[in-house]
Amino acid sequence: MMTKTLTKSLGLTATMAIAGALAFSPANAAGGGEHHIVHQAWSFGGMFGLYDKEQLQRGFRVYKEVCSDCHGLSRVYFRNLVEPGGPEFAEEAVKSLAAEWPNQITDGPNDEGAMFQRPARLSDRILGPYKNEKEARASQNGALPPDLSLMTRARNTHNNAPWYSHVFLMARDVFTGYQEGGANYLYALLTGYHEAPDSVKVADGMNYNVAFPGNQIAMPNVLDGGPVDYADGQEGYDGPKSSLEQNARDVTAFLAWAADPSLNERKKIGWLVMLYLLITTMLLYFGKRRLWSKFH
C-alpha cells in the first residue's frame, strides 16, 4: 500500500513538473531584469509551416524602402524573388526593379580593359549601398551594418528559465519542429526600442533596445519614421493594415526566407519521404509475417 502511494505521489509530482515546464512561457521566464523574447506564431514555423507569399512580398517592400539604405542581401539574387517558394514576383517586374536598383554592379573588364558600372540583372546579387567595409563604417560612425542574408540563422534567443525546465522546453520545440528563434529575436529587436530608464545612461550614438544584449545598439529605430504603407500604389489591396509591428513581422518573415529559401520545397519533400517510409515499413512488416508464417 505504501509503495503504491509513493509511486502515485512521484507520478503526480513528475506530471506537475512536466506540465509546469511545458507551460513555462517566456513572459514569466525572465530573470534578473532581462527582457525575454516570446515565441511568435509564424506561418513558416513548425513541421507544417510554409511561407506566405503575400507576407514575403510585403516584407521585401519594407526591406527595399527601409533596410536597403544600410544593409545588403549578398546571398540573395534578384532571380530568387521570382522563384517558387519565395515572394514570387512577376519576372518582368523584378527585371525592372533590378535595372532601377540604386547600387549598380561593377563589371568588366571591357574591350579596353577597364572595369565599368552597369544596372543589375536577374542574375546579380542584391547588394547593399556600400562598396566595402571601410566605406560602411565611415558612413555609420564606426558601426558596420551586417549583411542580412543569413541574419535569422545567425541569431537566436537565450532562455533564462530554471535549468531543470530546459529539457522540457527543448522537447517542446523538438516535437513541434519549432526552429524560429532567430526570427523571434529579429522581430523583438525591431519592436524593442524604448525610452531608456533613468538608471541607464545611453552612450553617444547608441539607442536603447530591450531585446539587444546589453540594451544599447548603434542601429536607430529604422521603423520609427512611420509604417510602410502597403496599400500605396496597389489597387485593390486587401491585406493587413500597415503598422510598425506589422512591418517588423513582415520584414522578419522575408529575411527568414532569405536565410532558408528552400523551406517550402524541403518540407513538402520531407512529408513525401515520411509517407514513403511508412508504406515501406508496412510492406516489410506484412512481407515478414508472410515469409516466417511457414515456420510456425
Side-chain angles (χ1 to χ4, degrees):
M1 184 72 170
M2 184 174 184
T3 305
K4 216 183 222 185
T5 304
L6 180 60
T7 303
K8 186 176 180 181
S9 176
L10 288 174
L12 181 61
T13 302
T15 302
M16 291 176 64
I18 293 173
L22 290 175
F24 197 91
S25 67
N28 58 26
E34 295 184 30
H35 176 76
H36 232 292
I37 297 171
V38 301
H39 274 42
Q40 299 292 330
W42 301 103
S43 68
F44 51 89
M47 294 183 287
F48 300 97
L50 298 173
Y51 292 124
D52 178 354
K53 179 178 70 174
E54 284 73 24
Q55 183 177 45
L56 298 187
Q57 291 179 357
R58 297 193 303 268
F60 176 75
R61 182 166 184 176
V62 177
Y63 166 76
K64 177 178 177 292
E65 295 189 17
V66 178
C67 309
S68 64
D69 289 341
C70 298
H71 301 276
L73 289 173
S74 63
R75 292 177 180 267
V76 180
Y77 294 79
F78 283 101
R79 66 171 182 266
N80 299 139
L81 301 175
V82 180
E83 296 169 350
E88 298 184 23
F89 289 113
E91 183 172 332
E92 291 304 317
V94 177
K95 283 183 180 179
S96 299
L97 172 73
E100 297 168 1
W101 200 254
N103 312 313
Q104 293 199 329
I105 305 299
T106 301
D107 204 346
N110 57 19
D111 294 340
E112 287 75 36
M115 304 300 287
F116 60 92
Q117 299 288 310
R118 62 164 176 81
R121 305 169 184 153
L122 286 178
S123 57
D124 291 316
R125 303 170 187 265
I126 302 178
L127 300 178
Y130 307 114
K131 296 178 180 178
N132 51 59
E133 179 180 331
K134 289 185 179 295
E135 182 183 16
R137 289 188 181 278
S139 301
Q140 299 294 330
N141 296 320
L144 177 64
D147 185 85
L148 298 181
S149 305
L150 302 176
M151 187 54 61
T152 59
R153 292 301 180 198
R155 300 291 184 268
N156 211 328
T157 55
H158 174 71
N159 201 311
N160 293 322
W163 65 267
Y164 51 80
S165 66
H166 276 215
V167 64
F168 303 112
L169 294 171
M170 290 172 62
R172 176 194 61 186
D173 290 346
V174 168
F175 287 117
T176 59
Y178 191 90
Q179 51 183 343
E180 279 61 54
N184 291 338
Y185 169 79
L186 186 57
Y187 174 75
L189 180 76
L190 292 173
T191 57
Y193 289 91
H194 299 287
E195 288 292 329
D198 296 336
S199 58
V200 176
K201 177 175 174 54
V202 180
D204 291 341
M206 304 297 281
N207 304 275
Y208 186 78
N209 188 296
V210 295
F212 189 75
N215 300 132
Q216 299 196 36
I217 184 173
M219 184 178 79
N221 186 358
V222 292
L223 297 177
D224 195 33
V228 174
D229 186 2
Y230 296 140
D232 182 30
Q234 297 190 39
E235 187 176 349
Y237 174 78
D238 60 352
K241 184 178 178 181
S242 185
S243 66
L244 298 183
E245 289 75 17
Q246 188 65 47
N247 286 173
R249 181 172 294 277
D250 291 341
V251 75
T252 297
F254 171 75
L255 293 177
W257 166 81
D260 190 6
S262 63
L263 179 141
N264 283 11
E265 182 181 5
R266 176 163 48 81
K267 287 187 177 181
K268 289 176 182 177
I269 292 176
W271 283 112
L272 289 175
V273 170
M274 294 297 291
L275 178 61
Y276 167 80
L277 292 175
L278 176 61
I279 294 173
T280 302
T281 301
M282 293 174 61
L283 291 175
L284 290 173
Y285 171 74
F286 289 120
K288 178 257 183 189
R289 282 182 59 90
R290 182 179 179 83
L291 179 64
W292 288 94
S293 64
K294 300 175 182 178
F295 299 96
H296 290 283

